[in-house]
Amino acid sequence: MHSKSIRQLAQGLRAKEFSSVELTQHFLQRIKQHQNLNAYITVTEELALAQAQAADQRLAAGDTDLLLGLPIAQKDLFCTLGVRTSCGSKMLDNFIAPYNATVVDKLNQAGAVMLGKVNMDEFAMGSSNETSFYGAVKNPWDSNAVAGGSSGGSAAAVAARLAVCATGTDTGGSIRQPAALCGITGLKPTYGRVSRYGMIAYASSLDQGGPMAQSADDAAILLQAMAGFDSKDSTSMDHPVPDYSATLDAPLTGLKIGLPKEFFGEGLSDDVAQVLQVAIDEYRKLGAEVIDISMPNLKLAIPAYYVIAPAECSANLSRFDGVRFGYRCENPADLTDLYTRSRGEAFGKEVKRRILMGTYALSAGYYDAYYIKAQKIRRLISDDFKTALAQVDVIMGPVTPTTAFGIGEKMADPIAMYLADIYTIAINLAGVPAMSVPAGFSDGKPVGLQIIGNYFQEAKLLNIAHRYQQVTDWHTLIPKNFE
Amino acid sequence: MSLTAEDVNKIAHLARLGIDSQDVGSYTKDLSGMLALMAKMGEVNTDGVEPMAHPLDQVQRLRADVVTESNQREHFQAIAPKVEDGLYLVPKVIE
């Protein structure tokens, strides 16, 4: 049951091959069996079975929603009413959200069954899931390797088939990078496409939720349920949501693919480059035209991101003060001690590093030199995407410079970890949508192909990924021990 | 540009963020490394470039000034570290 697609499962439920309760029990049992993967922070068994029972009733009544009765996982930064929402932090280890995120409400309405909340880097700050208070997630393809981050739990759960699909969020690559390292399909939508209401904020001008799934077909169905305008999110875009499944099969004849030379130069490992060449050749066979392009400002993405994201993080995380919710230190001497010690005792090192960086960048005398300068650079990067996407339909490139690195390998050098996000970060600064699609393996570990499109072109990206998945089988492979 | 341990302690105070004294050295090194990375931005001429705050250059939506939320004080205070008589408690501020 766990290797089936969303459409196959939806059909199986309606053909009464299995019930939603049976399907849910099957996944709950798999989660228990593979606990050592550390993909889940909280398993909501009782709630899941209650939701599955309700789904079986809706199924009996003839409800046609594709996600109805299907067990999914929620990244533990989407607030879930009555269920702990930890955001991977000691700060929120005791936090029971008093309301649902819009994404959670929408998936509940669609009838999806929540198996639990999945692991992530603390407050989504990290690229390896190692900054989680609950420990690193193991990569299902190699238990000594990282699952990626920050949505590492989501990616590992989907890759190991411990959930049909999962939600993720992406501020600088947090959907695409773990999707690439775990060999699944992940999509970061256009900024503003999916509501941020109830999504615990890291960097508000960059954060975006999106689907993580086995295939583009599944991702289209999950995105359909997640996307749409929300008046409760002041940056939500009031833009029509197309039928993402309707155009999946459109032919790719004449599609113009741009390959920025900056994506294929120094820093990209040879094995990843080789896998990507083969994937791009596959697109040529599907009728696409491949064009070399240049995006000269991409090299500025990391410096600009590590000003803007920490600056927004330092402002957003000021709400964690030990007064209204979350962790509070023992016996505070005075109010300053309460703030300082509660935050000091409950935040991990990476979160502290970014709060410090952001506070510095926003402090008197440095604001123009860092924050305003970074916002100007952000426009130059965004203009590079505009120019490129006027010339080609989509941009393709790597997601990561290498396959999954070892657990512990990069923790001592945070800057080396930041530099590994070179291919994903610029996309968030521009706000355009992008996907990671399984494109092959190197030394037994998955490689992802990144497909980047213009604003609100999610349907186009899904179509391009789906056509590729019809002629390749990388996305159907299941890691050993998880078959 | 590189920072000193004194700078890091000052920033930590501005952020009301406790950091262990034995970690000050590594934060000083990491933040200095990040600033060195950012120095690349200074090499680019950005005169006349409009700073970009929102990817789609949207401005904040306005809405009618009406109450849309109901009072959920008890509900929200159920997860607070310390409350009394409907108030959030903190150490005494005024002697």
Side-chain angles (χ1 to χ4, degrees):
Chain A
M1 279 193 275
H2 52 267
S3 60
K4 286 186 157 69
S5 70
I6 291 179
R7 285 179 211 281
Q8 286 168 339
L9 289 168
Q11 206 172 22
L13 285 168
R14 279 153 187 96
K16 298 206 167 55
E17 287 166 32
F18 43 82
S19 67
S20 173
V21 169
E22 283 163 350
L23 188 63
T24 302
Q25 279 165 338
H26 176 73
F27 276 97
L28 287 169
Q29 187 273 327
R30 283 181 67 79
I31 293 168
K32 273 194 199 121
Q33 189 188 339
H34 298 292
Q35 255 172 9
N36 61 345
L37 205 59
N38 204 23
Y40 281 78
I41 291 174
T42 306
V43 180
T44 49
E45 182 164 353
E46 258 176 60
L47 176 71
L49 290 170
Q51 286 183 330
Q53 260 171 13
D56 280 330
Q57 280 168 10
R58 274 174 66 179
L59 281 160
D63 196 321
T64 57
D65 209 307
L66 282 168
L67 288 174
L68 178 60
L70 301 194
I72 66 158
Q74 290 282 5
K75 184 175 182 179
D76 206 14
L77 66 49
F78 287 99
C79 283
T80 41
L81 176 68
V83 173
R84 174 172 66 172
T85 300
S86 75
C87 222
S89 182
K90 180 180 177 183
M91 178 60 86
L92 294 179
D93 183 49
N94 63 358
F95 177 65
I96 310 286
Y99 65 98
N100 273 335
T102 295
V103 161
V104 173
D105 268 341
K106 278 174 164 273
L107 289 170
N108 283 346
Q109 276 156 24
V113 170
M114 184 176 86
L115 293 164
K117 309 289 296 285
V118 278
N119 207 340
M120 54 180 286
D121 279 296
E122 184 179 10
F123 286 103
M125 297 175 204
S127 312
S128 65
N129 217 111
E130 291 166 290
T131 72
S132 169
F133 176 60
Y134 304 92
V137 178
K138 291 176 182 159
N139 190 310
W141 294 95
D142 175 355
S143 58
N144 295 315
V146 300
S150 68
S151 311
S154 308
V158 173
R161 309 300 195 252
L162 306 184
V164 173
C165 55
T167 56
T169 63
D170 192 316
T171 305
S174 282
I175 286 176
R176 291 160 288 154
Q177 188 256 20
L181 301 189
C182 290
I184 66 157
T185 304
L187 192 160
K188 182 207 88 76
T190 306
Y191 178 77
R193 175 76 296 180
V194 170
S195 170
R196 293 188 300 109
Y197 180 77
M199 213 176 97
I200 295 173
Y202 157 24
S204 300
S205 77
L206 304 163
D207 294 343
Q208 182 59 206
M212 300 180 74
Q214 290 175 31
S215 65
D217 186 23
D218 283 5
I221 295 166
L222 183 54
L223 179 61
Q224 198 77 51
M226 294 172 75
F229 174 69
D230 181 11
S231 60
K232 289 188 278 193
D233 169 3
S234 67
T235 56
S236 173
M237 295 296 291
D238 198 354
H239 193 271
V241 180
D243 180 345
Y244 293 117
S245 298
T247 47
L248 284 174
D249 291 316
L252 301 186
T253 324
L255 177 79
K256 284 186 186 161
I257 299 172
L259 302 183
K261 66 172 191 221
E262 292 79 6
F263 270 7
F264 292 91
E266 199 192 332
L268 181 64
S269 69
D270 292 342
D271 58 336
V272 171
Q274 274 168 18
V275 167
L276 296 181
Q277 264 329 312
V278 175
I280 289 157
D281 283 342
E282 203 62 59
Y283 276 105
R284 285 196 178 93
K285 287 185 217 158
L286 287 165
E289 183 192 346
V290 177
I291 301 160
D292 290 323
I293 59 169
S294 174
M295 301 176 72
N297 292 304
L298 285 179
K299 61 177 185 296
L300 298 167
I302 288 184
Y305 178 89
Y306 278 101
V307 175
I308 293 169
E312 295 182 10
C313 135
S314 74
N316 271 325
L317 270 63
S318 65
R319 74 189 53 159
F320 302 107
D321 56 6
V323 175
R324 290 150 305 149
F325 49 80
Y327 178 85
R328 172 183 285 208
C329 66
E330 297 282 342
N331 305 317
D334 55 33
L335 191 57
T336 302
D337 185 47
L338 168 70
Y339 295 149
T340 307
R341 217 146 45 77
S342 297
R343 291 161 63 77
E345 288 169 15
F347 287 140
K349 222 172 166 195
E350 183 59 33
V351 170
K352 285 184 183 169
R353 203 177 280 130
R354 294 193 198 192
I355 290 175
L356 291 171
M357 187 64 243
T359 304
Y360 179 71
L362 292 178
S363 63
Y366 298 103
Y367 182 79
D368 284 345
Y370 290 106
Y371 192 64
I372 295 297
K373 182 76 181 181
Q375 283 194 317
K376 289 180 171 187
I377 301 274
R378 182 175 186 180
R379 184 166 305 276
L380 296 180
I381 292 165
S382 176
D383 287 347
D384 269 8
F385 279 94
K386 283 198 181 110
T387 308
L389 290 166
Q391 205 187 332
V392 295
D393 298 309
V394 288
I395 299 163
M396 287 191 187
V399 182
T400 56
T402 63
T403 55
F405 46 90
I407 291 175
E409 198 181 308
K410 288 191 179 166
M411 278 307 265
D413 187 354
I415 303 219
M417 187 90 90
Y418 300 163
L419 292 175
D421 291 337
I422 177 81
Y423 306 121
T424 51
I425 268 176
I427 284 86
N428 299 77
L429 292 170
V432 292
M435 281 186 86
S436 174
V437 180
F441 287 80
S442 172
D443 205 13
K445 289 188 275 191
V447 173
L449 167 72
Q450 188 167 213
I451 314 173
I452 306 156
N454 219 332
Y455 298 105
F456 298 107
Q457 295 283 302
E458 288 82 4
K460 183 98 204 150
L461 297 184
L462 289 161
N463 161 227
I464 293 167
H466 180 68
R467 291 301 299 224
Y468 175 75
Q469 291 183 337
Q470 287 183 310
V471 293
T472 57
D473 64 356
W474 306 116
H475 64 291
T476 64
L477 303 179
I478 301 180
K480 212 173 59 193
N481 305 326
F482 297 97
E483 282 104 343
Chain B
M1 142 161 215
S2 78
L3 297 178
T4 63
E6 196 187 332
D7 293 329
V8 169
N9 282 319
K10 195 180 142 207
I11 302 164
H13 173 70
L14 286 174
R16 300 294 184 269
L17 183 66
I19 52 175
D20 291 340
S21 53
Q22 76 257 27
D23 288 338
V24 173
S26 72
Y27 287 124
T28 306
K29 177 173 153 278
D30 294 344
L31 294 184
S32 298
M34 289 170 84
L35 290 174
L37 203 65
M38 287 160 197
K40 263 194 204 147
M41 296 195 306
E43 296 163 11
V44 183
N45 184 349
T46 51
D47 292 349
V49 177
E50 187 67 24
M52 178 172 156
H54 184 292
L56 293 151
D57 286 321
Q58 286 279 304
V59 290
Q60 290 283 300
R61 277 193 316 275
L62 297 176
R63 63 167 177 85
D65 186 16
V66 291
V67 176
T68 55
E69 296 292 318
S70 56
N71 185 3
Q72 301 189 61
R73 188 171 72 180
E74 267 102 67
H75 184 47
F76 292 151
Q77 290 199 335
I79 51 168
K82 211 168 184 184
V83 289
E84 201 178 292
D85 299 332
L87 304 170
Y88 292 93
L89 291 194
V90 295
K92 195 190 262 186
V93 178
I94 303 162
E95 290 299 329

